[in-house]
Amino acid sequence: MQKLTIPLSKSMPGMIVAEPIRNLDTGVIYVGADQELNADAIQKLKNTDIHEIKIFVNTWDNVWKVSKETKEVYNRCTEAAKRLLNQIAYDNVVDFVAFKKIKDEMADKFNDNYKIIGCINLFKIADSYTYTHSINVALLSTLIGKWMKYGKDMQDSLMLAGLLHDIGKMKIDKNILNKPDKLTDDEFEVIKKHPVYSYELLQENREIPLDFKVGILMHHERMDGSGYPYGVYNENINDIAKILAIADTYDAMISERPYQKKRSPFEVIQLMQTGIFGKLDPKILLTFLSNIATYYIGTYVTLSNGEIGEVVAINPLCLYRPIVRVQDRYIDMYTDDSIQIIDIT
């Protein structure tokens, strides 16, 4: 769990103490490790010579209920996907049965929305992005399927499509794929071929329905025709592709990547709601954003004024400007636009 050193003046009831808070002269412990701070304890500490404390923040076990077992399943699925994707890079063979086994384990173990969102926010290492991205898009696509009221068969298809949506990238030069700098125009043209490569790798498999393959082929198409590889638009893009596009975009934006620092989920929600609105299916997008925003209630965030606060409510009129509690006061970011959320802490 992540530890954070904060000034005592910024501590709040509900924070979990990471290390014992003790008198440095006598060794007397004021508050023990793993204990939850309350208002009385904070007030007593203010009467001592303590100026800083260490706390656990956004402890996924508490906020998003990510248990040790869930983390192990996530890592196991990621490692399995890594092996299968590297196999594609080596011999151009897609072990569809093995991918289905990963899907089956994920469907069985990730049956709680909090587990899914916790894992997606927890594993943000640039070096493993290619592999965690496949897992995350599979999980996010399944969530969208739930929120759109699709049946279990469609949810299973979305999870499997998420796992397989980027397999075509395994046919692209790793120097381009993992380039830490901005891609040249020519390099981006190479990247834009990966949906076609994905489709070609799956094309001969008669077990996979055509709309599934087409969804993977079109997951970078956009509603306004600005996408690739064909520039199709609106109703010409099937639902699987529309859902993959949203899941793919969200995970890419919140992830640490070789050429991009991760963004806060609230910044990503803002960008998806305002910056690229019209490119993604509006009904599916608003369903996704309005649902996922509520799962950030209870997380601690760093604000642009340097303070740390807890998200206590999501404003349905403006999903990316929630109400944040800082100690004993509440900041309605919808009415006070001078403060921004820098990141979940």
Side-chain angles (χ1 to χ4, degrees):
M1 292 183 287
Q2 181 183 355
K3 295 180 182 180
L4 181 70
T5 301
I6 65 169
L8 178 62
S9 61
K10 293 183 179 179
S11 63
M12 295 189 299
M15 288 182 170
I16 308 297
V17 175
E19 295 180 4
I21 304 172
R22 68 177 77 228
N23 185 305
L24 297 180
D25 294 325
T26 66
V28 171
I29 295 176
Y30 298 128
V31 183
D34 298 318
Q35 290 188 20
E36 183 176 322
L37 286 176
N38 56 38
D40 287 342
I42 291 171
Q43 187 56 51
K44 288 177 181 177
L45 288 170
K46 288 180 179 178
N47 295 327
T48 70
D49 58 354
I50 301 296
H51 302 292
E52 292 183 335
I53 62 173
K54 285 188 182 292
I55 61 165
F56 290 123
V57 289
N58 290 335
T59 52
W60 313 131
D61 296 357
N62 296 329
V63 178
W64 282 316
K65 305 172 187 173
V66 181
S67 65
K68 179 182 178 181
E69 179 190 7
T70 299
K71 295 172 190 175
E72 289 173 351
V73 172
Y74 183 94
N75 284 322
R76 186 162 63 246
C77 290
T78 301
E79 285 301 312
K82 180 178 180 178
R83 289 193 298 272
L84 294 175
L85 289 169
N86 286 335
Q87 178 184 330
I88 293 169
Y90 179 73
D91 60 15
N92 282 344
V93 173
V94 180
D95 189 339
F96 187 62
V97 173
F99 273 107
K100 285 181 70 175
K101 286 182 180 177
I102 299 175
K103 185 270 296 179
D104 289 341
E105 180 170 16
M106 289 170 64
D108 179 52
K109 299 297 185 181
F110 290 99
N111 48 18
D112 181 295
N113 294 359
Y114 282 97
K115 291 180 181 179
I116 292 174
I117 295 167
C119 283
I120 287 166
N121 283 277
L122 183 58
F123 297 97
K124 292 292 160 207
I125 303 171
D127 291 345
S128 61
Y129 170 75
T130 299
Y131 313 110
T132 59
H133 181 62
S134 296
I135 300 296
N136 290 352
V137 171
L139 293 171
L140 286 167
S141 297
T142 308
L143 276 184
I144 296 171
K146 287 183 185 178
W147 293 333
M148 290 296 295
K149 312 294 187 188
Y150 287 121
K152 187 178 183 307
D153 287 347
M154 180 61 163
Q155 290 178 34
D156 283 350
S157 291
L158 287 168
M159 183 174 282
L160 193 52
L163 281 172
L164 293 165
H165 80 289
D166 267 353
I167 57 174
K169 283 186 176 179
M170 297 301 101
K171 298 183 69 173
I172 292 174
D173 187 332
K174 280 185 167 40
N175 291 323
I176 295 177
L177 204 58
N178 300 320
K179 185 179 178 181
D181 306 313
K182 184 177 178 181
L183 297 174
T184 66
D185 290 344
D186 288 343
E187 288 168 339
F188 186 53
E189 288 301 317
V190 173
I191 290 287
K192 286 165 66 174
K193 294 177 181 177
H194 81 267
V196 176
Y197 295 154
S198 297
Y199 179 82
E200 289 174 348
L201 285 165
L202 299 173
Q203 189 175 12
E204 299 303 319
N205 190 322
R206 297 187 179 182
E207 185 181 351
I208 305 174
L210 180 60
D211 62 339
F212 181 107
K213 298 174 187 175
V214 171
I216 289 174
L217 175 65
M218 292 190 172
H219 76 273
H220 277 290
E221 300 291 359
R222 296 296 179 255
M223 299 294 286
D224 61 358
S226 63
Y228 60 86
Y230 302 116
V232 298
Y233 56 90
N234 288 346
E235 67 277 1
N236 296 310
I237 307 170
N238 73 13
D239 284 353
I240 290 176
K242 291 174 181 177
I243 290 171
L244 287 175
I246 291 169
D248 177 70
T249 300
Y250 183 80
D251 186 65
M253 283 185 169
I254 67 169
S255 296
E256 186 89 16
R257 303 168 76 179
Y259 52 87
Q260 171 190 290
K261 293 293 183 182
K262 67 184 179 72
R263 297 180 174 97
S264 104
F266 290 99
E267 181 185 359
V268 172
I269 290 171
Q270 179 179 5
L271 288 169
M272 292 184 74
Q273 190 170 345
T274 60
I276 56 177
F277 196 81
K279 295 183 179 295
L280 303 171
D281 183 277
K283 180 180 178 181
I284 301 174
L285 178 61
L286 289 176
T287 297
F288 170 68
L289 294 180
S290 61
N291 276 279
I292 201 164
T294 63
Y295 286 89
Y296 291 100
I297 294 173
T299 59
Y300 289 107
V301 292
T302 301
L303 304 177
S304 55
N305 63 3
E307 293 184 304
I308 294 171
E310 180 186 5
V311 176
V312 295
I314 299 296
N315 189 333
L317 298 176
C318 191
L319 299 169
Y320 50 87
R321 299 197 66 79
I323 297 173
V324 177
R325 179 171 66 88
V326 178
Q327 297 187 47
D328 58 353
R329 75 184 199 278
Y330 292 83
I331 301 173
D332 185 346
M333 298 184 66
Y334 183 57
T335 57
D336 184 354
D337 61 3
S338 66
I339 298 175
Q340 310 292 326
I341 291 176
I342 302 300
D343 202 355
I344 57 173
T345 302

